[in-house]
Amino acid sequence: AAYLESEIVVAAGRRVQVEFVSANPTGPLTLGHGRQAVLGDCLARMLASQGWEVVREYYFNDGGRQMRVLGQSVRARYLELLGRAAPPPPEALADPEAAWPDEVDGLPVAFPRDGYQGDYILEIAQGIRAEHGEAWADDADEARFRDVAQAAIFAEIRATLERLGIAFDVYYNEKSLYDDGKPEETLADLRERGLVYEADGAVWLRSTELGLDRDRVLVKSSGEPTYLLPDVAYHREKFRRGFDLVIDCQGADHYEQFPYVRKAAAALGCPEEGIELVMNQFVTLTSGGEQVKQSTRRATYVTVDELVADVGPDVFRFFMVQRKAEGHLDFDLDLAKDVDWKKNPAYYVQYAHARTYGVGRKAAETGVALPEPDGLDASPLELPEEIDLLKKLGEFPEVVARAAQTREPHHLAYYLRDLAGLWKP
């Protein structure tokens, strides 16, 4: 109790931003995004329990090359539906690296070489044809196709998150950083501090002077910023918005860049210790003892929606958070679908939960009034099993506090399995 109280006193009145998922609207959420969604939401809930004022934030970019390719992919499928262009040959769909012919049966192949190939692209194109007919056929600009696709995909992403019981307070668009000139301001301030130089036509961050192993490019020779520059600007804005602590819940592919963002932001006056990374490793899906192959670009992967429909949101959430975030997660689909509570850890916990409420129902049926926890007289409970349960229940506040402090929600999953194990079949 003292530990818990001290944590709440420290956090009282302080604001923390937890940024997670942050997938660009180019397709449905993958299992990696799903793991991050559950992890970030659990972190936010734990921190809120300790007195933090928590803001859940989703950062996305609806510009750049990925979004252009998205628009081109939708336009290509739209033209195919109108018979204005040939679809890519089967071998190209099977292998994105295959050389594509310029024509198939006398029609130009309009699909981009690295385009998004999922069924959802075709569905968006079908929606455009249903609403606009052939009116967009001669529009060579992918922008309007991109905008329609972005709106449709983002609506699905939000619906997926809602099915998992996750709601964001802020959706932050990277474009707003550029509209406000923040990357340019950040670059100028880094230059003023002597942390920027030019070489090979590019603009570099002197990150070795910040204690890191090598310098990194901020602006390419083409004049296009790398991911690093807007990321530094974004983190600077987080503190300008009044947060005391910012937590980035990101995948392993961000691990290398994070130290550069943190050091550069600190050089601009942000508290280095106030920027944390909670990294989650990738998720593999197994079924029948074999790994299910996944390809994001070709959309031959199991989406979060599909998996939630298969196993339910409760099981999905439990499986995604029952392992340490830094560890690789193997999602066993057969186990997740197994309704035997003795095998499925999620059902094991739910079984104990149901038995607990069963006690309450039985008490009500027999006219026994259960006291409030603060007024409970536990002296009649003498059996070893009863004492063990009471002791374990008493650990809960400290387990939550420590899990919040270490940013490790998997401890709660361990605790719940241990608690459920104290119920005797």
Side-chain angles (χ1 to χ4, degrees):
Y3 182 91
L4 177 63
E5 182 179 351
S6 67
E7 285 299 293
I8 290 178
V9 169
V10 168
R14 301 186 70 200
R15 301 182 71 228
V16 56
Q17 182 227 49
V18 183
E19 183 219 325
F20 58 109
V21 183
S22 297
N24 292 338
T26 57
L29 295 181
T30 66
L31 298 190
H33 295 135
R35 185 183 192 187
Q36 192 179 123
V38 177
L39 177 63
D41 187 55
C42 288
L43 285 170
R45 291 171 186 252
M46 293 190 309
L47 290 165
S49 77
Q50 304 307 298
W52 286 93
E53 180 187 336
V54 181
V55 173
R56 295 167 171 84
E57 187 149 314
Y58 187 121
Y59 176 78
F60 69 98
N61 180 15
D62 61 359
R65 182 177 178 279
Q66 284 186 339
M67 298 302 294
R68 289 196 299 273
V69 172
L70 175 68
Q72 292 164 2
S73 302
V74 173
R75 179 177 179 273
R77 290 291 183 240
Y78 170 73
L79 291 175
E80 289 170 17
L81 290 171
L82 299 179
R84 299 283 292 269
E91 63 270 18
L93 288 175
D95 180 10
E97 301 301 323
W100 295 12
D102 294 329
E103 291 187 353
V104 173
D105 296 331
L107 291 174
V109 175
F111 201 81
R113 182 179 297 275
D114 55 353
Y116 292 94
Q117 300 176 13
D119 290 341
Y120 67 99
I121 298 295
L122 178 60
E123 291 169 3
I124 294 169
Q126 289 170 335
I128 294 174
R129 184 182 66 170
E131 183 174 353
H132 300 285
E134 298 189 15
W136 291 12
D138 296 322
D139 190 345
D141 186 0
E142 82 280 346
R144 64 167 63 185
F145 296 93
R146 179 200 64 212
D147 292 345
V148 171
Q150 174 192 323
I153 292 170
F154 233 136
E156 284 301 313
I157 288 175
R158 293 195 188 206
T160 299
L161 294 169
E162 287 175 5
R163 292 184 191 102
L164 291 172
I166 299 172
F168 283 88
D169 303 297
V170 176
Y171 284 85
Y172 195 104
N173 191 340
E174 182 180 305
K175 182 176 181 293
S176 66
L177 284 174
Y178 286 96
D179 290 344
D180 296 337
K182 299 304 179 183
E184 294 84 354
E185 177 190 349
T186 297
L187 183 61
D189 289 345
L190 287 170
R191 192 185 300 276
E192 183 180 346
R193 288 164 173 77
L195 294 173
V196 167
Y197 67 95
E198 297 185 8
D200 302 322
V203 180
W204 296 71
L205 174 70
R206 295 185 188 274
S207 34
T208 49
E209 293 191 9
L210 299 175
L212 297 170
D213 59 351
R214 64 186 179 91
D215 292 344
R216 292 284 297 269
V217 175
L218 290 168
V219 182
K220 303 175 186 177
S221 57
S222 63
E224 181 183 6
T226 64
Y227 290 122
L228 180 57
L229 181 58
D231 278 357
V232 175
Y234 175 47
H235 282 75
R236 191 186 199 187
E237 289 307 299
K238 292 182 181 187
F239 289 100
R240 286 177 170 176
R241 289 160 56 196
F243 293 110
D244 301 288
L245 172 66
V246 299
I247 298 176
D248 297 345
C249 185
Q250 298 176 334
D253 52 333
H254 290 266
Y255 180 75
E256 182 183 1
Q257 175 151 304
F258 177 78
Y260 294 87
V261 174
R262 191 182 191 192
K263 287 289 187 181
L268 295 173
C270 300
E272 185 173 346
E273 69 283 356
I275 307 174
E276 297 183 10
L277 171 66
V278 175
M279 184 193 72
N280 64 283
Q281 281 286 0
F282 300 105
V283 181
T284 56
L285 183 68
T286 58
S287 180
E290 296 185 358
Q291 183 175 328
V292 179
K293 292 184 179 181
Q294 315 257 0
S295 171
T296 303
R297 180 67 69 172
R298 284 182 280 168
T300 55
Y301 59 89
V302 177
T303 67
V304 171
D305 259 346
E306 291 169 332
L307 199 52
V308 170
D310 236 358
V311 305
D314 293 340
V315 173
F316 181 90
R317 286 184 65 112
F318 193 92
F319 271 59
M320 284 298 183
V321 81
Q322 68 174 332
R323 295 283 182 266
K324 191 170 184 178
E326 292 86 349
H328 176 83
L329 177 64
D330 179 13
F331 195 107
D332 187 334
L333 181 59
D334 299 322
L335 180 60
K337 292 170 68 173
D338 196 325
V339 296
D340 186 344
W341 64 269
K342 294 180 181 179
K343 298 178 182 178
N344 188 325
Y347 284 126
Y348 187 63
V349 172
Q350 288 182 326
Y351 174 73
H353 178 267
R355 290 195 66 190
T356 302
Y357 273 82
V359 171
R361 286 193 301 272
K362 187 67 174 179
E365 292 170 3
T366 56
V368 176
L370 296 178
E372 294 296 323
D374 291 342
L376 176 65
D377 177 14
S379 59
L381 302 177
E382 298 178 347
L383 294 176
E385 294 90 343
E386 296 169 337
I387 302 303
D388 288 343
L389 270 172
L390 287 176
K391 286 181 178 179
K392 196 66 180 179
L393 288 168
E395 295 174 7
F396 182 67
E398 185 168 343
V399 171
V400 175
R402 289 190 183 277
Q405 185 185 54
T406 60
R407 323 299 189 224
E408 295 178 323
H410 68 278
H411 289 304
L412 287 176
Y414 291 166
Y415 168 83
L416 291 173
R417 292 183 66 172
D418 289 345
L419 178 62
L422 294 177
W423 277 104
K424 304 301 179 184

